[in-house]
Amino acid sequence: MSVNVERRTDPPGDAEHVREAWELKERIHRVDGVLRQRRGFFTDAYRRSTTHLILEDDEVIAFASVRRDGYVLFLAVDPDHRGRGLAERLIADVAEEYQSVSCHARTTNERALGFYEHIGFEVKRRIDGYYEDGGDAYYLTLGPNSLRERLSEFVRG
C-alpha cells in the first residue's frame, strides 16, 4: 500500500485547511491537554498567518502557522505520526523563510520545551500569566545560523 505525503502552504488570507487544522489541534488538546485556543482566535490567527502543512493521503497530519515576523503561532503534529521528524521539517521550512524564528511554550509543556531545546531554540524569558487561563510561558528563539543549516537539511531530505 502506497502512502502519499505532500507539503502544502496556505498563505495569509487562504484558509483552505483551517477546518482540518482546527480538528487536529482539538485532537491534540484532548490527548495532551495543550493548544487551548478558542475557535475564533485560532481561525483568525490562521487566516492572518502563513501555514505550512504536511498531508498524508490528503489528511492534515502536521502544521505550523507563522506570522510574517517568523513567530510560530501554532505547531501541531498528529499523535499517531510523531517521531517521524515532521515538526523538525516544519520548523526547517519556517527557518528557511524568516531571518528570526520565535515562539511561546507553556512552562509546564515538557514535551514542547524538550523538542524546542533539541532543535536549538533558546529560552529568552519567562512570562507569568501569559495565557488566557493564567498559565505561564517561556519566550523562545531559534539559536545560531549553524542550526538553521542543520534544520534546512530536513527540507532538502
Side-chain angles (χ1 to χ4, degrees), residues 105-133:
R106 281 186 185 269
T107 57
T108 57
N109 190 343
E110 293 178 19
R111 177 179 291 161
L113 292 169
F115 165 76
Y116 286 124
E117 288 178 24
H118 167 73
I119 63 169
F121 276 78
E122 301 168 354
V123 173
K124 293 299 179 181
R125 66 183 170 274
R126 179 187 175 107
I127 304 167
D128 294 332
Y130 175 80
Y131 292 102
E132 194 173 78
D133 64 1

PDB file of all heavy atoms in Angstrom, residues 105-133:
ATOM      1  N   ALA A 105       5.982  28.839  24.647  1.00  0.00           N
ATOM      2  CA  ALA A 105       5.579  27.491  25.073  1.00  0.00           C
ATOM      3  C   ALA A 105       5.248  27.551  26.560  1.00  0.00           C
ATOM      4  O   ALA A 105       5.901  28.269  27.320  1.00  0.00           O
ATOM      5  CB  ALA A 105       6.700  26.491  24.821  1.00  0.00           C
ATOM      6  N   ARG A 106       4.234  26.813  26.939  1.00  0.00           N
ATOM      7  CA  ARG A 106       3.867  26.751  28.359  1.00  0.00           C
ATOM      8  C   ARG A 106       5.039  26.218  29.172  1.00  0.00           C
ATOM      9  O   ARG A 106       5.701  25.272  28.750  1.00  0.00           O
ATOM     10  CB  ARG A 106       2.666  25.831  28.581  1.00  0.00           C
ATOM     11  CG  ARG A 106       1.362  26.467  28.249  1.00  0.00           C
ATOM     12  CD  ARG A 106       0.198  25.534  28.627  1.00  0.00           C
ATOM     13  NE  ARG A 106      -1.027  26.151  28.165  1.00  0.00           N
ATOM     14  CZ  ARG A 106      -1.766  26.969  28.907  1.00  0.00           C
ATOM     15  NH1 ARG A 106      -1.437  27.224  30.153  1.00  0.00           N
ATOM     16  NH2 ARG A 106      -2.853  27.514  28.415  1.00  0.00           N
ATOM     17  N   THR A 107       5.233  26.803  30.329  1.00  0.00           N
ATOM     18  CA  THR A 107       6.321  26.343  31.194  1.00  0.00           C
ATOM     19  C   THR A 107       6.101  24.905  31.652  1.00  0.00           C
ATOM     20  O   THR A 107       7.054  24.223  32.019  1.00  0.00           O
ATOM     21  CB  THR A 107       6.468  27.258  32.424  1.00  0.00           C
ATOM     22  OG1 THR A 107       5.227  27.285  33.130  1.00  0.00           O
ATOM     23  CG2 THR A 107       6.867  28.669  32.013  1.00  0.00           C
ATOM     24  N   THR A 108       4.848  24.445  31.604  1.00  0.00           N
ATOM     25  CA  THR A 108       4.530  23.082  32.025  1.00  0.00           C
ATOM     26  C   THR A 108       4.526  22.076  30.878  1.00  0.00           C
ATOM     27  O   THR A 108       4.359  20.888  31.110  1.00  0.00           O
ATOM     28  CB  THR A 108       3.143  23.059  32.699  1.00  0.00           C
ATOM     29  OG1 THR A 108       2.174  23.580  31.779  1.00  0.00           O
ATOM     30  CG2 THR A 108       3.139  23.876  33.980  1.00  0.00           C
ATOM     31  N   ASN A 109       4.717  22.537  29.646  1.00  0.00           N
ATOM     32  CA  ASN A 109       4.667  21.648  28.486  1.00  0.00           C
ATOM     33  C   ASN A 109       6.063  21.082  28.212  1.00  0.00           C
ATOM     34  O   ASN A 109       6.787  21.544  27.341  1.00  0.00           O
ATOM     35  CB  ASN A 109       4.124  22.394  27.262  1.00  0.00           C
ATOM     36  CG  ASN A 109       3.830  21.471  26.104  1.00  0.00           C
ATOM     37  OD1 ASN A 109       4.288  20.333  26.057  1.00  0.00           O
ATOM     38  ND2 ASN A 109       3.061  21.970  25.151  1.00  0.00           N
ATOM     39  N   GLU A 110       6.416  20.070  28.976  1.00  0.00           N
ATOM     40  CA  GLU A 110       7.757  19.490  28.893  1.00  0.00           C
ATOM     41  C   GLU A 110       8.061  18.909  27.520  1.00  0.00           C
ATOM     42  O   GLU A 110       9.198  18.997  27.046  1.00  0.00           O
ATOM     43  CB  GLU A 110       7.947  18.442  29.988  1.00  0.00           C
ATOM     44  CG  GLU A 110       7.949  19.067  31.378  1.00  0.00           C
ATOM     45  CD  GLU A 110       8.085  18.046  32.484  1.00  0.00           C
ATOM     46  OE1 GLU A 110       8.531  16.909  32.209  1.00  0.00           O
ATOM     47  OE2 GLU A 110       7.761  18.390  33.628  1.00  0.00           O
ATOM     48  N   ARG A 111       7.071  18.330  26.868  1.00  0.00           N
ATOM     49  CA  ARG A 111       7.299  17.752  25.531  1.00  0.00           C
ATOM     50  C   ARG A 111       7.695  18.845  24.551  1.00  0.00           C
ATOM     51  O   ARG A 111       8.664  18.717  23.807  1.00  0.00           O
ATOM     52  CB  ARG A 111       6.054  17.023  25.037  1.00  0.00           C
ATOM     53  CG  ARG A 111       6.233  16.481  23.615  1.00  0.00           C
ATOM     54  CD  ARG A 111       5.031  15.733  23.122  1.00  0.00           C
ATOM     55  NE  ARG A 111       4.943  14.502  23.892  1.00  0.00           N
ATOM     56  CZ  ARG A 111       3.858  13.779  24.009  1.00  0.00           C
ATOM     57  NH1 ARG A 111       2.751  14.156  23.422  1.00  0.00           N
ATOM     58  NH2 ARG A 111       3.855  12.672  24.714  1.00  0.00           N
ATOM     59  N   ALA A 112       6.956  19.947  24.541  1.00  0.00           N
ATOM     60  CA  ALA A 112       7.271  21.040  23.616  1.00  0.00           C
ATOM     61  C   ALA A 112       8.616  21.665  23.950  1.00  0.00           C
ATOM     62  O   ALA A 112       9.439  21.910  23.056  1.00  0.00           O
ATOM     63  CB  ALA A 112       6.171  22.106  23.657  1.00  0.00           C
ATOM     64  N   LEU A 113       8.860  21.908  25.218  1.00  0.00           N
ATOM     65  CA  LEU A 113      10.129  22.527  25.613  1.00  0.00           C
ATOM     66  C   LEU A 113      11.313  21.638  25.249  1.00  0.00           C
ATOM     67  O   LEU A 113      12.334  22.114  24.751  1.00  0.00           O
ATOM     68  CB  LEU A 113      10.125  22.836  27.111  1.00  0.00           C
ATOM     69  CG  LEU A 113       9.151  23.932  27.538  1.00  0.00           C
ATOM     70  CD1 LEU A 113       9.018  23.973  29.060  1.00  0.00           C
ATOM     71  CD2 LEU A 113       9.576  25.281  26.980  1.00  0.00           C
ATOM     72  N   GLY A 114      11.172  20.334  25.463  1.00  0.00           N
ATOM     73  CA  GLY A 114      12.232  19.397  25.086  1.00  0.00           C
ATOM     74  C   GLY A 114      12.478  19.406  23.591  1.00  0.00           C
ATOM     75  O   GLY A 114      13.632  19.394  23.137  1.00  0.00           O
ATOM     76  N   PHE A 115      11.410  19.441  22.813  1.00  0.00           N
ATOM     77  CA  PHE A 115      11.535  19.496  21.355  1.00  0.00           C
ATOM     78  C   PHE A 115      12.252  20.765  20.929  1.00  0.00           C
ATOM     79  O   PHE A 115      13.220  20.718  20.166  1.00  0.00           O
ATOM     80  CB  PHE A 115      10.156  19.423  20.686  1.00  0.00           C
ATOM     81  CG  PHE A 115      10.194  19.828  19.246  1.00  0.00           C
ATOM     82  CD1 PHE A 115      10.701  18.974  18.281  1.00  0.00           C
ATOM     83  CD2 PHE A 115       9.749  21.083  18.858  1.00  0.00           C
ATOM     84  CE1 PHE A 115      10.766  19.360  16.949  1.00  0.00           C
ATOM     85  CE2 PHE A 115       9.807  21.478  17.526  1.00  0.00           C
ATOM     86  CZ  PHE A 115      10.315  20.601  16.574  1.00  0.00           C
ATOM     87  N   TYR A 116      11.781  21.908  21.412  1.00  0.00           N
ATOM     88  CA  TYR A 116      12.380  23.187  21.006  1.00  0.00           C
ATOM     89  C   TYR A 116      13.853  23.258  21.396  1.00  0.00           C
ATOM     90  O   TYR A 116      14.692  23.699  20.606  1.00  0.00           O
ATOM     91  CB  TYR A 116      11.603  24.365  21.596  1.00  0.00           C
ATOM     92  CG  TYR A 116      10.282  24.608  20.906  1.00  0.00           C
ATOM     93  CD1 TYR A 116       9.089  24.627  21.621  1.00  0.00           C
ATOM     94  CD2 TYR A 116      10.217  24.831  19.534  1.00  0.00           C
ATOM     95  CE1 TYR A 116       7.872  24.855  20.991  1.00  0.00           C
ATOM     96  CE2 TYR A 116       9.007  25.065  18.896  1.00  0.00           C
ATOM     97  CZ  TYR A 116       7.839  25.066  19.633  1.00  0.00           C
ATOM     98  OH  TYR A 116       6.641  25.298  18.999  1.00  0.00           O
ATOM     99  N   GLU A 117      14.181  22.817  22.599  1.00  0.00           N
ATOM    100  CA  GLU A 117      15.587  22.824  23.012  1.00  0.00           C
ATOM    101  C   GLU A 117      16.412  21.884  22.144  1.00  0.00           C
ATOM    102  O   GLU A 117      17.530  22.207  21.753  1.00  0.00           O
ATOM    103  CB  GLU A 117      15.701  22.468  24.489  1.00  0.00           C
ATOM    104  CG  GLU A 117      15.220  23.588  25.405  1.00  0.00           C
ATOM    105  CD  GLU A 117      15.277  23.221  26.872  1.00  0.00           C
ATOM    106  OE1 GLU A 117      16.079  22.329  27.241  1.00  0.00           O
ATOM    107  OE2 GLU A 117      14.517  23.826  27.655  1.00  0.00           O
ATOM    108  N   HIS A 118      15.860  20.725  21.824  1.00  0.00           N
ATOM    109  CA  HIS A 118      16.551  19.726  20.994  1.00  0.00           C
ATOM    110  C   HIS A 118      16.947  20.299  19.635  1.00  0.00           C
ATOM    111  O   HIS A 118      18.017  19.996  19.117  1.00  0.00           O
ATOM    112  CB  HIS A 118      15.661  18.493  20.819  1.00  0.00           C
ATOM    113  CG  HIS A 118      16.118  17.550  19.765  1.00  0.00           C
ATOM    114  ND1 HIS A 118      17.226  16.736  19.923  1.00  0.00           N
ATOM    115  CD2 HIS A 118      15.626  17.285  18.535  1.00  0.00           C
ATOM    116  CE1 HIS A 118      17.393  16.018  18.818  1.00  0.00           C
ATOM    117  NE2 HIS A 118      16.436  16.326  17.965  1.00  0.00           N
ATOM    118  N   ILE A 119      16.093  21.120  19.045  1.00  0.00           N
ATOM    119  CA  ILE A 119      16.412  21.647  17.709  1.00  0.00           C
ATOM    120  C   ILE A 119      17.099  23.006  17.757  1.00  0.00           C
ATOM    121  O   ILE A 119      17.368  23.591  16.711  1.00  0.00           O
ATOM    122  CB  ILE A 119      15.183  21.684  16.778  1.00  0.00           C
ATOM    123  CG1 ILE A 119      14.109  22.620  17.308  1.00  0.00           C
ATOM    124  CG2 ILE A 119      14.630  20.283  16.564  1.00  0.00           C
ATOM    125  CD1 ILE A 119      13.009  22.899  16.306  1.00  0.00           C
ATOM    126  N   GLY A 120      17.390  23.505  18.960  1.00  0.00           N
ATOM    127  CA  GLY A 120      18.207  24.705  19.061  1.00  0.00           C
ATOM    128  C   GLY A 120      17.527  25.986  19.463  1.00  0.00           C
ATOM    129  O   GLY A 120      18.123  27.061  19.375  1.00  0.00           O
ATOM    130  N   PHE A 121      16.284  25.918  19.937  1.00  0.00           N
ATOM    131  CA  PHE A 121      15.652  27.120  20.476  1.00  0.00           C
ATOM    132  C   PHE A 121      16.247  27.401  21.844  1.00  0.00           C
ATOM    133  O   PHE A 121      16.649  26.482  22.564  1.00  0.00           O
ATOM    134  CB  PHE A 121      14.132  26.937  20.613  1.00  0.00           C
ATOM    135  CG  PHE A 121      13.370  27.197  19.354  1.00  0.00           C
ATOM    136  CD1 PHE A 121      13.321  26.257  18.339  1.00  0.00           C
ATOM    137  CD2 PHE A 121      12.669  28.386  19.188  1.00  0.00           C
ATOM    138  CE1 PHE A 121      12.604  26.491  17.184  1.00  0.00           C
ATOM    139  CE2 PHE A 121      11.936  28.627  18.035  1.00  0.00           C
ATOM    140  CZ  PHE A 121      11.914  27.683  17.034  1.00  0.00           C
ATOM    141  N   GLU A 122      16.292  28.670  22.194  1.00  0.00           N
ATOM    142  CA  GLU A 122      16.801  29.094  23.494  1.00  0.00           C
ATOM    143  C   GLU A 122      15.717  29.868  24.226  1.00  0.00           C
ATOM    144  O   GLU A 122      15.021  30.690  23.619  1.00  0.00           O
ATOM    145  CB  GLU A 122      18.022  29.998  23.301  1.00  0.00           C
ATOM    146  CG  GLU A 122      19.148  29.314  22.556  1.00  0.00           C
ATOM    147  CD  GLU A 122      20.243  30.278  22.110  1.00  0.00           C
ATOM    148  OE1 GLU A 122      20.082  31.510  22.273  1.00  0.00           O
ATOM    149  OE2 GLU A 122      21.250  29.780  21.584  1.00  0.00           O
ATOM    150  N   VAL A 123      15.573  29.590  25.518  1.00  0.00           N
ATOM    151  CA  VAL A 123      14.620  30.343  26.346  1.00  0.00           C
ATOM    152  C   VAL A 123      15.198  31.727  26.575  1.00  0.00           C
ATOM    153  O   VAL A 123      16.317  31.871  27.065  1.00  0.00           O
ATOM    154  CB  VAL A 123      14.358  29.638  27.688  1.00  0.00           C
ATOM    155  CG1 VAL A 123      13.509  30.518  28.605  1.00  0.00           C
ATOM    156  CG2 VAL A 123      13.698  28.284  27.471  1.00  0.00           C
ATOM    157  N   LYS A 124      14.431  32.750  26.201  1.00  0.00           N
ATOM    158  CA  LYS A 124      14.869  34.136  26.389  1.00  0.00           C
ATOM    159  C   LYS A 124      14.300  34.741  27.664  1.00  0.00           C
ATOM    160  O   LYS A 124      14.964  35.535  28.315  1.00  0.00           O
ATOM    161  CB  LYS A 124      14.485  35.000  25.179  1.00  0.00           C
ATOM    162  CG  LYS A 124      15.230  34.614  23.922  1.00  0.00           C
ATOM    163  CD  LYS A 124      16.722  34.802  24.120  1.00  0.00           C
ATOM    164  CE  LYS A 124      17.505  34.413  22.893  1.00  0.00           C
ATOM    165  NZ  LYS A 124      18.941  34.556  23.081  1.00  0.00           N
ATOM    166  N   ARG A 125      13.061  34.386  27.983  1.00  0.00           N
ATOM    167  CA  ARG A 125      12.473  34.910  29.215  1.00  0.00           C
ATOM    168  C   ARG A 125      11.200  34.124  29.565  1.00  0.00           C
ATOM    169  O   ARG A 125      10.609  33.465  28.726  1.00  0.00           O
ATOM    170  CB  ARG A 125      12.166  36.394  29.097  1.00  0.00           C
ATOM    171  CG  ARG A 125      11.105  36.766  28.098  1.00  0.00           C
ATOM    172  CD  ARG A 125      10.918  38.287  28.011  1.00  0.00           C
ATOM    173  NE  ARG A 125      10.080  38.652  26.902  1.00  0.00           N
ATOM    174  CZ  ARG A 125      10.471  38.844  25.653  1.00  0.00           C
ATOM    175  NH1 ARG A 125      11.731  38.689  25.337  1.00  0.00           N
ATOM    176  NH2 ARG A 125       9.631  39.178  24.705  1.00  0.00           N
ATOM    177  N   ARG A 126      10.827  34.249  30.813  1.00  0.00           N
ATOM    178  CA  ARG A 126       9.588  33.662  31.322  1.00  0.00           C
ATOM    179  C   ARG A 126       8.569  34.784  31.434  1.00  0.00           C
ATOM    180  O   ARG A 126       8.892  35.895  31.855  1.00  0.00           O
ATOM    181  CB  ARG A 126       9.845  33.042  32.699  1.00  0.00           C
ATOM    182  CG  ARG A 126       8.610  32.428  33.320  1.00  0.00           C
ATOM    183  CD  ARG A 126       8.896  31.991  34.753  1.00  0.00           C
ATOM    184  NE  ARG A 126       7.692  31.512  35.372  1.00  0.00           N
ATOM    185  CZ  ARG A 126       7.429  30.238  35.636  1.00  0.00           C
ATOM    186  NH1 ARG A 126       8.322  29.309  35.369  1.00  0.00           N
ATOM    187  NH2 ARG A 126       6.291  29.888  36.193  1.00  0.00           N
ATOM    188  N   ILE A 127       7.324  34.474  31.083  1.00  0.00           N
ATOM    189  CA  ILE A 127       6.252  35.461  31.175  1.00  0.00           C
ATOM    190  C   ILE A 127       5.139  34.855  32.030  1.00  0.00           C
ATOM    191  O   ILE A 127       4.457  33.916  31.608  1.00  0.00           O
ATOM    192  CB  ILE A 127       5.716  35.840  29.778  1.00  0.00           C
ATOM    193  CG1 ILE A 127       6.866  36.334  28.900  1.00  0.00           C
ATOM    194  CG2 ILE A 127       4.615  36.883  29.901  1.00  0.00           C
ATOM    195  CD1 ILE A 127       6.525  36.445  27.440  1.00  0.00           C
ATOM    196  N   ASP A 128       4.985  35.383  33.234  1.00  0.00           N
ATOM    197  CA  ASP A 128       3.950  34.891  34.138  1.00  0.00           C
ATOM    198  C   ASP A 128       2.581  35.368  33.658  1.00  0.00           C
ATOM    199  O   ASP A 128       2.422  36.504  33.221  1.00  0.00           O
ATOM    200  CB  ASP A 128       4.206  35.388  35.564  1.00  0.00           C
ATOM    201  CG  ASP A 128       5.478  34.795  36.156  1.00  0.00           C
ATOM    202  OD1 ASP A 128       5.859  33.677  35.754  1.00  0.00           O
ATOM    203  OD2 ASP A 128       6.091  35.457  37.018  1.00  0.00           O
ATOM    204  N   GLY A 129       1.585  34.461  33.720  1.00  0.00           N
ATOM    205  CA  GLY A 129       0.214  34.800  33.347  1.00  0.00           C
ATOM    206  C   GLY A 129       0.026  35.096  31.872  1.00  0.00           C
ATOM    207  O   GLY A 129      -0.911  35.794  31.497  1.00  0.00           O
ATOM    208  N   TYR A 130       0.859  34.553  31.017  1.00  0.00           N
ATOM    209  CA  TYR A 130       0.810  34.843  29.579  1.00  0.00           C
ATOM    210  C   TYR A 130      -0.483  34.343  28.930  1.00  0.00           C
ATOM    211  O   TYR A 130      -1.071  35.027  28.108  1.00  0.00           O
ATOM    212  CB  TYR A 130       2.028  34.223  28.883  1.00  0.00           C
ATOM    213  CG  TYR A 130       2.011  34.365  27.386  1.00  0.00           C
ATOM    214  CD1 TYR A 130       2.386  35.563  26.783  1.00  0.00           C
ATOM    215  CD2 TYR A 130       1.605  33.316  26.573  1.00  0.00           C
ATOM    216  CE1 TYR A 130       2.367  35.704  25.404  1.00  0.00           C
ATOM    217  CE2 TYR A 130       1.586  33.447  25.189  1.00  0.00           C
ATOM    218  CZ  TYR A 130       1.965  34.640  24.614  1.00  0.00           C
ATOM    219  OH  TYR A 130       1.944  34.778  23.250  1.00  0.00           O
ATOM    220  N   TYR A 131      -0.902  33.158  29.279  1.00  0.00           N
ATOM    221  CA  TYR A 131      -2.061  32.559  28.619  1.00  0.00           C
ATOM    222  C   TYR A 131      -3.374  33.017  29.254  1.00  0.00           C
ATOM    223  O   TYR A 131      -3.409  33.425  30.418  1.00  0.00           O
ATOM    224  CB  TYR A 131      -1.960  31.028  28.650  1.00  0.00           C
ATOM    225  CG  TYR A 131      -0.829  30.517  27.781  1.00  0.00           C
ATOM    226  CD1 TYR A 131       0.371  30.108  28.336  1.00  0.00           C
ATOM    227  CD2 TYR A 131      -0.954  30.473  26.394  1.00  0.00           C
ATOM    228  CE1 TYR A 131       1.419  29.655  27.546  1.00  0.00           C
ATOM    229  CE2 TYR A 131       0.081  30.025  25.599  1.00  0.00           C
ATOM    230  CZ  TYR A 131       1.265  29.618  26.179  1.00  0.00           C
ATOM    231  OH  TYR A 131       2.300  29.178  25.394  1.00  0.00           O
ATOM    232  N   GLU A 132      -4.426  32.918  28.463  1.00  0.00           N
ATOM    233  CA  GLU A 132      -5.753  33.355  28.891  1.00  0.00           C
ATOM    234  C   GLU A 132      -6.188  32.710  30.200  1.00  0.00           C
ATOM    235  O   GLU A 132      -6.873  33.322  31.006  1.00  0.00           O
ATOM    236  CB  GLU A 132      -6.752  33.023  27.775  1.00  0.00           C
ATOM    237  CG  GLU A 132      -8.083  33.692  27.912  1.00  0.00           C
ATOM    238  CD  GLU A 132      -8.944  33.437  26.690  1.00  0.00           C
ATOM    239  OE1 GLU A 132      -9.502  32.327  26.579  1.00  0.00           O
ATOM    240  OE2 GLU A 132      -9.053  34.329  25.851  1.00  0.00           O
ATOM    241  N   ASP A 133      -5.785  31.463  30.414  1.00  0.00           N
ATOM    242  CA  ASP A 133      -6.155  30.754  31.637  1.00  0.00           C
ATOM    243  C   ASP A 133      -5.204  31.033  32.801  1.00  0.00           C
ATOM    244  O   ASP A 133      -5.290  30.397  33.847  1.00  0.00           O
ATOM    245  CB  ASP A 133      -6.242  29.254  31.378  1.00  0.00           C
ATOM    246  CG  ASP A 133      -4.899  28.638  30.996  1.00  0.00           C
ATOM    247  OD1 ASP A 133      -3.871  29.356  30.949  1.00  0.00           O
ATOM    248  OD2 ASP A 133      -4.870  27.425  30.728  1.00  0.00           O
TER     249      ASP A 133
END
